[in-house]
Amino acid sequence: LAPMSIGETHACLSTHFGVWVAQAEFAASEKDLDFGHMRDQLRRIMAGESSLFSLSSNNAMVQLVGSGVRVMENRVDSKKDLEKLLKATCEAFIMAVTKTIVEPMLSFITKVTAVKVSTTSSKPLKEQAFASHAKVVEMIAKVNEALDNTLPK
């Protein structure tokens, strides 16, 4: 096996992660006990509004036990979270590859813009040191090298 570049490694991992997210089931059910409705009963007992010792249906313990415990079921789906993470990872990969490939051209374009905006330079662009034939060829070679080494094959 030939060694892979960082770009190829990242693309391979993103592809496999994407397949895994598409095929796997990431939903789970959670069950919780809800005692929230018992709060009112306990408040009445503590406030003396309801008696623990009465022999009627208004007995606080009878009402407390009779109201029961609620079982709440929640379904949690983490697949969407993983899809967001995969999207962010792919976008970061695209930005990193784009920056690596375009960087030599951006530097050149920035210098060209500075010369064009500057009114003090009387030399034509092709006579500027950074825009010589050799420098332009060097910039193109750097872009081609970045294309060859960064993009997955």
Side-chain angles (χ1 to χ4, degrees):
L1 289 172
M4 292 194 299
S5 70
I6 301 256
E8 290 172 321
T9 303
H10 199 285
C12 180
L13 288 174
S14 296
T15 301
H16 288 296
F17 185 62
V19 169
W20 179 61
V21 167
Q23 293 176 348
E25 184 66 35
F26 295 101
S29 292
E30 293 179 348
K31 292 184 180 179
D32 297 319
L33 299 177
D34 181 16
F35 295 98
H37 62 286
M38 294 182 161
R39 183 179 336 141
D40 290 334
Q41 293 294 335
L42 291 172
R43 185 188 51 77
R44 285 190 200 118
I45 293 170
M46 297 304 286
E49 296 173 11
S50 187
S51 172
L52 289 173
F53 303 109
S54 98
L55 296 175
S56 68
S57 63
N58 288 336
N59 181 300
M61 286 304 268
V62 171
Q63 289 180 356
L64 189 61
V65 173
S67 62
V69 176
R70 294 182 193 151
V71 177
M72 306 294 288
E73 186 170 349
N74 296 321
R75 186 152 174 88
V76 178
D77 187 4
S78 58
K79 187 171 185 174
K80 290 182 183 190
D81 294 335
L82 289 173
E83 287 173 345
K84 286 179 187 175
L85 179 62
L86 177 62
K87 181 181 177 188
T89 303
C90 289
E91 288 172 353
F93 169 69
I94 291 167
M95 290 303 292
V97 168
T98 302
K99 183 179 182 275
T100 302
I101 293 170
V102 174
E103 185 66 36
M105 288 186 289
L106 286 177
S107 175
F108 179 77
I109 291 170
T110 302
K111 291 174 185 173
V112 168
T113 304
V115 167
K116 291 286 185 182
V117 170
S118 170
T119 56
T120 60
S121 178
S122 60
K123 288 197 272 183
L125 185 62
K126 66 181 178 180
E127 292 179 11
Q128 300 290 330
F130 70 90
S132 69
H133 178 72
K135 291 288 186 177
V136 172
V137 169
E138 180 182 333
M139 183 220 16
I140 292 170
K142 285 180 182 177
V143 170
N144 287 333
E145 181 182 345
L147 284 169
D148 290 341
N149 294 333
T150 305
L151 293 178
K153 294 178 173 60

